[in-house]
Amino acid sequence: MTHSAPSAKALVPFVSVEAMMKLVHHIGIEPMLRGLADYIEQDFRRWELFDKTPRVASHSAQGVIELMPTSDGEVYGFKYVNGHPGNTRQGLQTVTAFGLLADVGNGYPVLLSEMTILTALRTAATSAMVARHLAPKGADTMAMIGNGAQSEFQSLAMKAICGLRSVRLWDIDPAATHKAANNLKGLGLDVHVCNSAEAAIEGAQIITTCTADKQYATILTDNMVGAGVHINAIGGDCPGKTELAPAVLLRSDIFVEYPDQTRIEGEIQQLPCDHPVTQIWEVIAGRKPGRTSTGQITLFDSVGFAIEDFSALRYLRDAIKGTDLYMELDLLADPDDPHDLFGMLQRAAP
């Protein structure tokens, strides 16, 4: 006897890479970035409701594989993500990801999705949402140091959410800069190709660093950073991988997602474990001040946190309603008698 068609309880909505790309174009990349930023900000305002734990990381010489779980008490979410800087030499992505939402009440998944593209979007949306709170008023120029897979998303998110007008690109690999400049053509930004990190920073009120090498690096030295800027440091995201000279950190007011994770993975792994930092959710919720003076250097030491992925999946679950931009996967066994899983298997014998 062959197994009958799966019941509705067995089916879980799945958003593939192809469907995600269609959804981005259906919504528009800038409206989608704004929507993601709004969902992330909403969840940061209710930060205290969430389960919070540093991501579970499995490190190797080649990179890292991580699980990032959280729950708001009603919905559970997790993301699987890797970071392998050498992958591009083999024609592979540095970062890939997928994620899931589930009903806390019964444990059944309610959404499964690719998250390679969604992570790029949510990372950029988070950066720009935070910059909206911390960057100098009227900031319209950003230095984008590191022109890999994230650079265009960061640039467009800052445009869509913060009103960025000009981006100044630099990468140690000129081909990466050429790629980013070409991709950003015609998207409403003044794009400047620079021949050094110092040149990229000239006139920029926002400095974003996003490099991939898994090492202690000094992308920004102390003398490169003037007063009054906002630094969006997103490349340092695991132990032994940083981008900023310690002197830059000591001159900055530092804002983080979750200190227990950032002290292990972020720029502040270079500082004593009691160095003062402010959790960005407290600024967003009005509990703590953000930018307090024109000369202040604000630094968002961003490593990515599970609540941002939860927000992105929550946005996605709402965004696909009423569309055909997902498929239903037969993911869950659903025997007629919940006690008789074996019987269901036997009845499916060819």
Side-chain angles (χ1 to χ4, degrees):
M1 181 187 296
T2 58
H3 179 50
S4 59
S7 74
K9 292 177 188 173
L11 299 175
V12 176
F14 168 63
V15 181
S16 67
V17 172
E18 181 183 13
M20 183 67 72
M21 293 192 292
K22 287 180 178 176
L23 183 70
V24 173
H25 289 293
H26 172 70
I27 295 170
I29 189 164
E30 291 191 33
M32 189 163 178
L33 285 162
R34 284 192 290 267
L36 284 164
D38 289 345
Y39 272 60
I40 295 164
E41 187 165 35
Q42 288 165 17
D43 286 341
F44 274 43
R45 290 183 190 279
R46 59 191 194 113
W47 185 268
E48 291 162 298
L49 288 176
F50 284 88
D51 291 340
K52 290 172 284 290
T53 182
R55 54 185 150 214
V56 182
S58 177
H59 292 279
S60 67
Q62 294 76 31
V64 64
I65 295 173
E66 299 167 332
L67 289 177
M68 300 173 65
T70 191
S71 170
D72 67 355
E74 295 183 7
V75 179
Y76 170 90
F78 80 82
K79 182 172 80 174
Y80 167 100
V81 62
N82 76 295
H84 285 66
N87 273 7
T88 52
R89 292 191 290 274
Q90 305 170 56
L92 302 174
Q93 290 283 295
T94 301
V95 176
T96 68
F98 65 87
L100 180 143
L101 289 181
D103 183 330
V104 167
N106 58 26
Y108 270 47
V110 296
L111 178 69
L112 177 66
S113 178
E114 84 79 37
M115 288 193 76
T116 307
I117 294 169
L118 190 58
T119 293
L121 290 161
R122 79 86 165 127
T123 301
T126 301
S127 291
M129 183 273 290
V130 170
R132 187 163 60 188
H133 289 274
L134 296 181
K137 191 173 181 180
D140 64 3
T141 301
M142 179 175 77
M144 184 71 234
I145 299 173
N147 301 155
Q150 181 62 206
S151 58
E152 299 94 340
F153 294 95
Q154 289 284 324
S155 301
L156 287 174
M158 292 291 183
K159 174 181 181 283
I161 294 160
C162 300
L164 191 75
R165 294 181 182 178
S166 177
V167 61
R168 302 175 62 80
L169 302 173
W170 182 77
D171 192 289
I172 196 168
D173 177 7
T177 302
H178 181 71
K179 176 270 307 180
N182 273 348
N183 283 343
L184 289 169
K185 269 183 189 169
L187 297 180
L189 283 168
D190 291 329
V191 179
H192 302 272
V193 171
C194 302
N195 58 15
S196 68
E198 291 85 351
I201 287 166
E202 287 177 18
Q205 302 97 356
I206 300 171
I207 302 169
T208 294
T209 58
C210 187
T211 59
D213 285 344
K214 190 177 179 181
Q215 63 180 343
Y216 291 112
T218 306
I219 309 303
L220 293 185
T221 57
D222 189 29
N223 64 319
M224 291 165 68
V225 179
V229 299
H230 172 62
I231 303 171
N232 176 41
I234 58 177
D237 58 4
C238 67
K241 182 172 184 266
T242 60
E243 298 180 315
L244 310 184
V248 174
L249 305 179
L250 295 174
R251 290 170 55 212
S252 304
D253 288 313
I254 301 171
F255 300 82
V256 303
E257 289 137 322
Y258 184 58
D260 290 6
Q261 180 173 298
T262 312
R263 292 193 191 276
I264 296 167
E265 299 178 351
E267 295 298 327
I268 57 173
Q269 65 184 274
Q270 303 179 80
L271 299 180
C273 61
D274 59 352
H275 187 87
V277 298
T278 301
Q279 294 185 67
I280 190 63
W281 77 266
E282 295 178 295
V283 176
I284 291 164
R287 308 267 189 96
K288 296 276 181 73
R291 176 168 289 275
T292 54
S293 70
T294 55
Q296 179 185 21
I297 299 170
T298 53
L299 167 61
F300 180 39
D301 186 4
S302 174
V303 297
F305 192 64
I307 292 172
E308 295 152 22
D309 300 306
F310 179 97
S311 307
L313 289 165
R314 192 167 67 81
Y315 170 88
L316 180 63
R317 189 184 181 195
D318 289 344
I320 62 173
K321 287 176 182 171
T323 77
D324 60 358
L325 298 176
Y326 64 94
M327 64 182 76
E328 294 191 316
L329 286 187
D330 181 11
L331 190 64
L332 307 173
D334 183 38
D336 295 334
D337 177 355
H339 299 289
D340 192 19
L341 184 63
F342 186 81
M344 175 182 164
L345 174 63
Q346 289 296 83
R347 287 189 293 275

